Amino acid sequence: MSTAGTQETTTYREALREALREAMRSDDRVFLMGEDVGRYGGCFGVSLGLLEEFGPDRVRDTPLSESAFVGAGIGAALAGMRPIVEIMTVNFSLLALDQILNNAATLLHMSGGQLPVPLVIRMTTGAGRQLAAQHSHSLESFYAHIPGIRVLAPATLEDARHMLAPALADPDPVVIFEHGSLYNASGPLAPQAASVDLDHAAVRRPGDAVSLITYGGSLPKMFAAADELAADGVDAEVVDLRTLRPLDAGTVAASVARTHRAVVVDEAWRTGSVAAELSARLAEESFYELDAPVERVCGAEVPIPYARRLEEAALPQTAGIVAAAHRAVG
Amino acid sequence: MLRIRRFEERCVELYSASKIRGFVHLYIGEEAVAVGVNAALSPEDAVVSTYREHGHALARGLPPEAIMAEMYGRTTGCSGGRGGSMHLFDVSRRFYGGSAIVAGGLPPAAGLALADRLRGLPRVTCCFFGDGAFAEGEFHETANLAALWDLPLLLVCENNLYAMGTALAREHAQTDLAMRAASYGMPAWAVDGMDVEAVAQAARRAVEGIRAGTGPHFLELRTYRFRAHSMYDPDRYRDKAEIERWKSRDPIGRLTERMRDDGEPVDEELARIERRIADEIDHAVDAAERAPEEPVEDLLRHVTSARAGEVNRQ
Ligand SMILES: Cc1ncc(C[n+]2csc(CCOP(=O)(O)OP(=O)(O)O)c2C)c(N)n1
């Protein structure tokens, strides 16, 4: 740890690891389980070294049995533990979707409030590394659709470092999405950053001409777009949703009340996406604030292709965001 | 086996040169499995594969240039550049290739077999998968269904002792996989997967049984991958001595030894085959380098059949 007042450079991956380490040090009910989290060090290197520090009971390698080990996480949570379950990617989480939806998200309600499920599930999401369709999808909206769970998408180093503690403190299931292209992102991390508020979106950059709204792996593209727009004399506000369920429509509405224009960026397919939900909210709640139709920049409606230029064409890119903002500003 | 070995060695070079990208899983060390099993199959049979499928695809007769072009992401690739290394397909060869969801190919393999059964076709569907996949519910549900319905399905478990970094004994409470498969009521046996003749013999016996109408069969092939799980894997979880021990059982080396002992003129033959394969691979790389890339306007092709070719306006 650095001395107070100075800023330490870290990566998104290390920030996540530090959060896991802190969680396990401070509460012995917390344990991590998932495929290759232990000996291998996590398939994206997030949990490297934790096995040595906490031992195989608390950093638990599982077989390839997503439904079984997520379900086991639910059971352990019911019995008073605080499991953190890692699923390698959201693509594979579909094998466990039944447990997440029909058990984790539902037990509290079905039991008339008797069975809260304090479970945290982490998984990687997103495209951009030429891994082809079965390793590249953004299915956050599938989870954001489900009442009974909280869905988080840390996009910054601070959120990667500090979202886990409040997620573990939540009595209900929390799903955390880590975008694969962010793991190597690096920068200074304030040593005593404030604890993250999981109920509110964050205005990452103030502006008055247009609201650029996104989450997760698209945030760096938003900043790049905002820089380009600034050079064109358009002062864009960047809003990071950070929590996809419950969606903080209030912060978005307040931003749109200032800028009167909205561009929503989502790497997922447009149809039925988080961007679709947000656009509907804006139509319902901010209709009279809007001076232009809501613009959406989303992933193309195609399984993500392997070939590099097709993959690039399938994903939101900075140029497309800038163009959408110019259309909105008119 | 040599073609698979040399093809993949070239893949390593091309990957290091950033010519091919994504996740690339090598089959080096496991060649006897693909070659031995394919020797027992006919062109009418179907093969379902995984993401570690270069060997299965080559043994099935997919041209090296179609596979190489796929890894280059070119239109001439066997999946038109959409799939890459993990998603090779060739319906003309009944190669229902590359699924990258572990165990994801098993239930559809049962369906292919079911279709043959319903239509009275004397064909076999062969599904390759790993020891890791054996832990998934998908395997167990498929094995039960196949046995229950007497499906003409050959289940080929490539037990290379690891699922990524997780060793067999850390993923299975009972590591005798053939025994567990037998509990579904199907013939199941374990075979030395480093011996191509033993593999071919076992596969032939299983395929004959399946064609004779005795339902699904299971083969556990004890093998080993000499390389890391994928090009991204630092391979920290395996002991170097263990790798060396398995390398001494190299299926290509063993076959060569055996032929030499039988007095066959292996060395001249080998030199000739090596030259032919080197030419073939040079040609495949060359063709891939020169092949066109799919135009971006075609991004939305192949999403639904009815709209194939039409550009979707968003
Ligand atoms: C459902 C699912 N979970 C996890 C993964 C990540 N993954 C890819 S390959 C692999 C190991 C599979 O091992 P095994 O089935 O033994 O096959 P091998 O790679 O040894 O050939 C894992 C965990 C995946 N692709 N799909």
Side-chain angles (χ1 to χ4, degrees), chain A residues 35 64 66 88 92, chain B residues 51-52 100 102 130-133 160 162-163 229:
Chain A
E35 290 156 7
L64 289 165
E66 287 80 3
M88 284 185 176
F92 318 149
Chain B
Y51 47 85
R52 192 183 302 287
V102 170
D131 47 289
N160 60 14
Y162 290 88
H229 168 70

Side-chain angles (χ1 to χ4, degrees), chain A residues 36 39 64 66 130 134 306-307, chain B residues 22 71 100 136 164 166 170:
Chain A
D36 286 306
R39 299 201 155 229
L64 289 165
E66 287 80 3
Q130 282 195 268
Q134 291 180 335
Y306 162 76
Chain B
M71 297 209 261
E136 292 279 10
M164 257 177 81
T166 303
R170 296 182 175 279

Side-chain angles (χ1 to χ4, degrees), chain A residues 35-36 43 64-66 87-89 91-93 95 134-135, chain B residues 25-27 30 50-52 99-104 129-134 136 158-166 171 225 229:
Chain A
E35 290 156 7
D36 286 306
C43 68
L64 289 165
S65 308
E66 287 80 3
I87 302 180
M88 284 185 176
T89 84
N91 310 275
F92 318 149
S93 77
L95 282 85
Q134 291 180 335
H135 280 71
Chain B
H25 305 84
L26 300 179
Y27 199 60
E30 306 189 29
T50 65
Y51 47 85
R52 192 183 302 287
S99 173
I101 304 299
V102 170
F129 55 96
D131 47 289
F134 194 109
E136 292 279 10
E158 303 183 312
N159 179 0
N160 60 14
L161 299 177
Y162 290 88
M164 257 177 81
T166 303
E171 57 170 336
R225 57 172 161 74
H229 168 70

